Amino acid sequence: MKSENKSRWVGMGRWFKLKYLLLFRAKGGPAMVAKGFAIGLFIEMFTLPTFGLAAVLILPLVYFLRASLPGALVGFLFGKIIYLPLAFLNVKVGRLILPKHASRDIHFHHAWLEVVVKKEIYLIAGGIINGLLLGLILYFPVKLLLELYATRRKDKRKKRKAQLALIAAQSDTDTFN
């Protein structure tokens, strides 16, 4: 029983490593993954006050902007980590952008939805602005890091191929002598 649990953890670790490598080696390249990351981060910045309803925007945005869905999910998770410290900034930005009476003009059929949106309108508006800015700003470093990873991987493969060619050439000369 103990070895079965251990093998399950090993299998899970291998699965995560595979998904990690697939993310770095995505077909669209670093730009596509970085674009997905920026989309996921943007969507997360206004998802919490809307009870996760904004999360359904990830799929169409990823599709129309031709981004990476796994990259968007990573950006979404990263956004969850940094959301709480940024929530205060989101409210401040929302209050700067929206007029003081903005929540008074919102009306919904369901009273509970009206109460939630009226309370969180500044958080949502600030989250949209901050999420857009954060996504645009972090797109470039993520793309750069992914390009560096790809370049290092390519150089490592070239070096290994040269070493194998050298070994093969030495073994060929040894067989002829």
Side-chain angles (χ1 to χ4, degrees), residues 114-167:
E114 188 171 334
V115 169
V116 168
V117 172
K118 280 184 177 183
K119 277 186 175 179
E120 306 297 337
I121 190 69
Y122 297 114
L123 185 62
I124 294 169
I128 290 171
I129 302 295
N130 287 341
L132 185 63
L133 290 174
L134 211 54
L136 288 173
I137 290 169
L138 287 180
Y139 168 79
F140 297 104
V142 169
K143 183 181 173 195
L144 180 70
L145 287 173
L146 292 171
E147 286 172 346
L148 284 173
Y149 174 81
T151 304
R152 272 199 1 231
R153 183 173 173 263
K154 206 178 283 186
D155 291 343
K156 194 175 179 182
R157 290 177 73 196
K158 278 184 185 177
K159 188 177 179 181
R160 184 161 188 242
K161 192 174 182 180
Q163 286 176 344
L164 289 175
L166 183 64
I167 292 171

Side-chain angles (χ1 to χ4, degrees), residues 42-58:
F42 165 66
I43 295 297
E44 174 54 30
M45 285 298 117
F46 63 92
T47 297
L48 282 178
T50 58
F51 298 113
L53 295 176
V56 296
L57 289 174
I58 284 183

Side-chain angles (χ1 to χ4, degrees), residues 9 18 23 28 42 84 90 98 111 114 125 132 137 142 144 173-174:
W9 283 107
L18 171 70
L23 179 66
F42 165 66
L84 285 178
N90 290 349
L98 296 177
E114 188 171 334
L132 185 63
I137 290 169
V142 169
L144 180 70
T173 57
D174 290 343

Side-chain angles (χ1 to χ4, degrees), residues 17 19 21 28 30 35 41 44 49 51 53 67 75-76 99 102 108 113 116 132 137 153 157 171 176:
K17 185 173 183 179
K19 295 302 176 187
L21 290 174
K35 199 183 309 180
L41 186 60
E44 174 54 30
F51 298 113
L53 295 176
F76 198 75
F108 288 102
L113 187 59
V116 168
L132 185 63
I137 290 169
R153 183 173 173 263
R157 290 177 73 196
S171 65
F176 290 121

Side-chain angles (χ1 to χ4, degrees), residues 82-97:
I82 66 168
Y83 183 79
L84 285 178
L86 288 178
F88 302 109
L89 182 63
N90 290 349
V91 171
K92 289 209 181 271
V93 170
R95 288 191 193 280
L96 282 173
I97 292 176

